[in-house]
Amino acid sequence: MNRSNGGGSRIGTGTGTRSAAAAAAAAGTGEAAGGGANLLAPRSHNTALVLDLLRTAGAEGISRLELAERTGLTPQAVSKITARLRGEGLATEAGRRASTGGKPRTVLRLVPGAGHALGVHLDRDELRAVLVDLDGTVVAERRAPLDLGAGAETVLEEVARAAEELAAEGLGAGAGPLAAEGAGPCTAGGGRAEAADTPGTPGGGGSGTSGPERLEPPVPGERVPEGLGTSLAEDARPPGGALAAAPTLLGLGVALPGPLDHVRGVLHRVTGFPEWDGYPLRDALERRLGVPVVVDKDTNAAALGLAVGGAGGGAGEDGAGGGSFAYLHLGTGLGAGLVFGGAVHRGARTGAGEFGHQVVQLDGPPCTCGARGCVEALCLAAVARGDLAEAARVLGTGAANLAGLLDVDLVLLGGRTVAAAPEAFVQGVAAVLDARARREGGHDGAVPVRLAPGGMRGVAEGAAQLLLAPLFGRGEGG
């Protein structure tokens, strides 16, 4: 086995407005996770490998010897990396484990509270926002009504409000003027925002409670050292901004309907809202909040969260998912997130996954995209009529086309419309794929169809992973 001696520099170093996540992704994820590599910048890559194994090991932890065996790094390299991670507060001892010979091995684990990310899902009529720790656990969340067509300034104000409230609640950062004034959560219309509903409850409802809701308290005794904020987050921050007082905050991920340019963070003609065409959402939010921002389509964000969580299957012993799947999101619109080899596929112009606008009926009903007979238009029209069987059949027809074209391992369904009637959609889509498999006469059976885990906040959690996943060398694709 080839072994590398990558030790290294801190995670997330960057310049200007380049995000910590983007810096980590660019610094050395050119080879699939699971093997140490002698890259031009091997230290970042190898640190990501170790961090990901610490993350997947959970509270039980993992020994240095196991880290060396699973990464292919030398024990000396692993010792250097873990020493640095412990010094920065990212890793800590989780006890000792008996060994087959010699003294017991020290076991290490990730410190989830050492870093956080915000994830925001901007739907056409609703905003959902979460604050998660390095382990992806939701620390706090918000949900509020939103009109995506109300104009850029109004939408930015709502995103900033939610971000500031979550940072103040979950991190005790006192971030922003709202926190300083002690103002409660508000909606665009001046009313109070709701604490997010119970995950998986279609379209809201929940417990009916209002105001802040802490879902997971910090782990007792885990103090973040003073230098950690600089090493993980602050190097890449734009100057100033409302969230500058949150030292462990890596940044903000924003997910919304496409099409858009993921690399530049610029929106195109968002379906149904052409006025957003050309708007630099990433730069506008970075100036306002003072933290790195990553913008992506809602379907890509959800697919990333699912891939990091292992929903696509094919996970090896290092925890890296190697499977392929298509995530179909049916809510106020219809789109797809594609994952191949455990990484999100965005395409050459980051426009992959415009699933809802494949034409399946020539001269069919008009779609908000300007075409006619799109899967989205036909599916949503059936939903509006209350004909869920027809909606599932149309969705299944599109899914069968996708499965036939890309030969994916799995189809996952999500979105508020699916969540309102999951059995009808899972069974209806599966029936179409089964019929296709019988016609083709294959011996492997139909592509399985399942309900995506994560419930109603899956997109928001995936948006947070836009910042977190690259730190662990995960989720970046073409």
Side-chain angles (χ1 to χ4, degrees):
M1 177 183 296
N2 293 326
R3 293 183 178 270
S4 169
N5 274 301
S9 59
R10 298 179 303 187
I11 301 172
T13 56
T15 58
T17 59
R18 188 180 183 196
S19 73
T29 54
E31 186 169 313
N38 288 306
L39 305 175
L40 292 177
R43 295 179 293 183
S44 300
H45 171 77
N46 293 334
T47 300
L49 291 179
V50 171
L51 273 172
D52 194 43
L53 287 171
L54 289 170
R55 180 185 65 86
T56 55
E60 293 183 2
I62 186 171
S63 71
R64 293 177 180 84
L65 179 60
E66 290 173 294
L67 288 170
E69 290 173 346
R70 296 192 186 187
T71 59
L73 299 173
T74 65
Q76 293 84 356
V78 169
S79 293
K80 288 180 181 179
I81 292 171
T82 55
R84 188 176 67 257
L85 294 178
R86 290 184 64 189
E88 292 177 344
L90 286 165
T92 189
E93 289 190 8
R96 294 183 180 275
R97 184 180 300 164
S99 63
T100 55
K103 63 181 182 180
R105 298 173 185 168
T106 300
V107 178
L108 302 175
R109 65 174 176 83
L110 184 73
V111 178
H116 297 83
L118 288 161
V120 174
H121 176 198
L122 296 178
D123 208 343
R124 292 170 173 85
D125 59 358
E126 180 180 86
L127 178 152
R128 284 179 180 266
V130 297
L131 175 71
V132 306
D133 62 20
L134 290 179
D135 200 32
T137 300
V138 175
V139 176
E141 60 180 309
R142 287 288 187 278
R143 171 174 168 260
L146 177 77
D147 178 5
L148 195 58
E153 187 57 35
T154 298
V155 172
L156 259 64
E157 177 65 30
E158 292 308 302
V159 173
R161 184 186 300 274
E164 291 169 24
E165 289 173 355
L166 288 176
E169 174 191 344
L171 305 179
L178 293 176
E181 296 169 8
C186 297
T187 66
R192 298 182 71 83
E194 303 175 21
D197 52 67
T198 303
T201 304
S207 63
T209 59
S210 61
E213 176 187 3
R214 179 173 295 284
L215 302 181
E216 286 287 342
V219 178
E222 289 187 350
R223 183 182 65 84
V224 179
E226 294 180 3
L228 179 59
T230 300
S231 65
L232 262 183
E234 292 178 352
D235 287 353
R237 291 188 176 187
L243 299 181
T248 67
L249 185 62
L250 299 176
L252 167 72
V254 181
L256 71 163
L260 54 81
D261 184 333
H262 165 66
V263 174
R264 297 169 55 232
V266 175
L267 307 188
H268 294 325
R269 293 177 64 86
V270 176
T271 306
F273 300 91
E275 63 272 21
W276 283 100
D277 189 21
Y279 187 78
L281 181 61
R282 181 193 65 190
D283 292 348
L285 284 171
E286 284 188 343
R287 285 193 299 269
R288 181 149 190 163
L289 298 176
V291 295
V293 175
V294 181
V295 175
D296 207 345
K297 292 197 295 187
D298 47 9
T299 51
N300 287 341
L304 175 61
L306 292 168
V308 170
E317 66 172 8
D318 62 351
S324 67
F325 66 86
Y327 167 74
L328 307 183
H329 184 94
L330 178 60
T332 58
L334 174 61
L338 306 174
V339 171
F340 302 116
V344 176
H345 175 74
R346 296 183 175 91
R349 290 168 292 280
T350 73
E354 289 299 316
F355 169 84
H357 300 294
Q358 56 175 307
V359 175
V360 294
Q361 181 181 333
L362 296 177
D363 301 321
C367 179
T368 52
C369 73
R372 304 183 70 90
C374 293
V375 174
E376 177 178 298
L378 294 169
C379 194
L380 292 179
V383 171
R385 296 193 304 270
D387 191 350
L388 295 185
E390 174 64 10
R393 187 178 73 88
V394 172
L395 182 58
T397 299
N401 291 341
L402 190 65
L405 182 65
L406 301 177
D407 194 21
V408 293
D409 298 319
L410 175 68
V411 171
L412 294 170
L413 305 181
R416 74 169 77 164
T417 303
V418 170
E423 191 171 315
F425 279 100
V426 171
Q427 292 182 356
V429 172
V432 178
L433 289 170
D434 286 342
R436 181 188 181 103
R438 288 195 300 272
R439 289 196 306 271
E440 294 176 344
H443 300 292
D444 296 330
V447 176
V449 180
R450 299 175 192 157
L451 184 68
M456 297 296 291
R457 67 187 187 198
V459 174
E461 290 185 49
Q465 288 295 336
L466 292 169
L467 275 297
L468 295 182
L471 296 175
F472 300 99
R474 301 294 302 273
E476 291 302 302

